[in-house]
Amino acid sequence: MEPLIITAALVGAELTREDTPYLPLTPEEIAEEAYRAYQAGATIVHVHARKEDGSPSQEKRIYREIIERISAKCDIIIQISTGGAVGMSAEEREEPLSLAPEMATLTTGSVNFGRDVFLNPPAMIEEFAEKMAAYGVQPEFEIFDVGMVDNALRLVRKGWIKTHLHFDFVMGVPGGIPATAKNLLHLIDLLPQGATWSVAGIGRHQLPMALLGITLGGHVRVGLEDNIYYRKGELATSNAQLVERVARIARELGREVASPKEARRLLRLGKRESGDSSSIEIS
Ligand code: KMH
Ligand code: ZN
C-alpha cells in the first residue's frame, strides 16, 4: 500500500471552548496546533478560521495570517475550508480561495447537518469549482452522503474539475451517511480508477473509521473538528494526540505514514509559489 496521508482537521466552525478547552482559535494557536500535528505525522491540515471572539469566519485576512504562520513553521499541505459554517453565503465561503492555497474543500451537495442544513446547490458548487481552477487550488471533495460522489463526477464530466480526484468521506454527521464499514465500502466502490480517498468519522466513529482507512488502503482524517474525545469520557488534549495515535497504529500494521513530499506525489500536487497557478501539474 502507498504511505498513509493523515489530515488534521484542527478546529472546524461549530465547536467552542465550552465544548473543549483545547480548541485552537487564534491564528497563532491554529498554526502552533498545525505544527504539532505535523510533527505527529499529519501531512494535510484542514483549516477553518475564527474571529477574535471565537466565532467562525471566512475572512481572507484571517486565513492569510493562518497560512503565513503555518508555512513559516513547516511544509504541511494547507487545505482551507470553503464549507465555512452553515448559513454563510457563497461570497463569504469562497473569500479565502483568492489566497491560492494548495488545497480547498468542495462539498458536492446539500445535507442535513444536525438541526441545520448545509446548503450546497449546483450553481454554488460550480462557482467554487471555477474559482478553484482559476486560482490553481486543488479540490478535495467532501462527501457527506452517497449522491455527492456522483455530483462530483458530474462536475468532472462537465469539465469543471481537471485536477487529480481526491475524496474525503465524512461519515456519521447526523443527517449524513452513517459511519459503517458497509457504507464505506459502497462509497469506495463508486470511485473511478486512480482516485484517492480518505475517511473522517464523526465523534465516536473517528477511530473505527480511521482503522478502516488504514487497512483498506485509503487515507485518514482525524482532529478536534470531527471528534473532541481521545476515548469515552476523556477529552483529547490536542489534535496532535489524535494524529499520533493513527500514525502509531498505521506503523504497527505495517503501513508507513506519508511525508509531505510523498503526500504531494500521491495527490499530484505541484509545488508552487503562493498565488502562482501557472506551475501546477494537472493530471
Ligand atoms: N462546517 C460545516 C458546515 C468543510 O470544511 O468544507 C462544513 C465543513 C465542510 O466543515
Ligand atoms: Zn471543515
Side-chain angles (χ1 to χ4, degrees):
M1 282 184 200
E2 295 285 9
L4 179 75
I5 300 171
I6 304 175
T7 298
L10 301 179
V11 49
E14 289 78 28
L15 293 165
T16 70
R17 282 268 166 83
E18 278 163 27
D19 298 307
T20 173
Y22 303 109
L23 198 66
L25 294 176
T26 66
E28 202 172 358
E29 289 166 352
I30 289 172
E32 182 55 29
E33 195 73 354
Y35 184 54
R36 291 176 64 195
Y38 165 81
Q39 287 177 310
T43 37
I44 301 180
V45 71
H46 170 69
V47 174
H48 286 253
R50 299 294 185 103
K51 291 192 185 112
E52 285 70 17
D53 66 0
S55 60
S57 170
Q58 289 294 101
E59 273 175 77
K60 189 172 163 177
R61 166 186 69 87
I62 309 177
Y63 272 97
R64 179 185 290 117
E65 184 177 347
I66 294 171
I67 292 170
E68 283 175 1
R69 284 182 181 273
I70 296 174
S71 307
K73 287 176 188 286
C74 59
D75 64 345
I76 197 166
I77 298 164
I78 300 175
Q79 175 195 87
I80 61 113
S81 169
T82 63
V86 287
M88 286 179 171
S89 68
E91 291 70 35
E92 258 179 299
R93 285 170 52 182
E94 69 191 20
E95 204 181 305
L97 285 177
S98 61
L99 294 166
E102 207 165 0
M103 290 184 86
T105 54
L106 181 60
T107 301
T108 49
S110 301
V111 63
N112 286 352
F113 198 84
R115 302 296 301 170
D116 299 309
V117 179
F118 180 32
L119 206 61
N120 296 284
M124 189 194 282
I125 301 169
E126 289 171 3
E127 184 180 322
F128 287 3
E130 190 174 26
K131 287 256 156 71
M132 288 186 201
Y135 290 111
V137 181
Q138 183 155 313
E140 173 183 275
F141 297 114
E142 297 305 298
I143 304 299
F144 290 78
D145 216 335
V146 182
M148 293 190 194
V149 175
D150 197 50
N151 291 344
L153 298 180
R154 194 171 309 117
L155 278 183
V156 177
R157 283 195 299 273
K158 287 167 101 178
W160 293 101
I161 308 279
K162 295 201 165 73
T163 54
H164 172 68
L165 304 183
H166 181 62
F167 294 77
D168 181 44
F169 302 129
V170 185
M171 304 183 71
V173 169
I177 189 166
T180 67
K182 207 170 173 183
N183 283 342
L184 178 60
L185 291 174
H186 180 56
L187 289 169
I188 297 166
D189 230 27
L190 300 173
L191 300 186
Q193 194 75 24
T196 48
W197 60 272
S198 64
V199 62
I202 301 300
R204 66 190 164 83
H205 302 294
Q206 185 166 85
L207 186 57
M209 298 317 285
L211 293 185
L212 288 170
I214 296 168
T215 50
L216 293 174
H219 303 281
V220 170
R221 171 172 126 172
V222 288
L224 298 178
E225 173 168 346
D226 302 333
N227 162 48
I228 59 174
Y229 290 100
Y230 188 73
R231 58 172 72 88
K232 193 168 185 219
E234 182 185 326
L235 288 173
T237 55
S238 68
N239 282 282
Q241 192 190 23
L242 296 168
V243 170
E244 193 277 330
R245 174 166 60 183
V246 169
R248 177 163 33 89
I249 294 171
R251 290 190 182 109
E252 283 290 327
L253 292 169
R255 184 136 185 228
E256 283 312 309
V257 174
S259 65
K261 191 174 171 197
E262 286 167 329
R264 287 186 170 91
R265 172 180 63 80
L266 293 170
L267 299 173
R268 324 276 190 276
L269 282 163
K271 202 68 169 118
R272 64 195 162 83
E273 295 302 313
S274 172
D276 169 18
S277 58
S278 61
S279 57
I280 287 181
E281 283 172 33
I282 295 188
S283 56

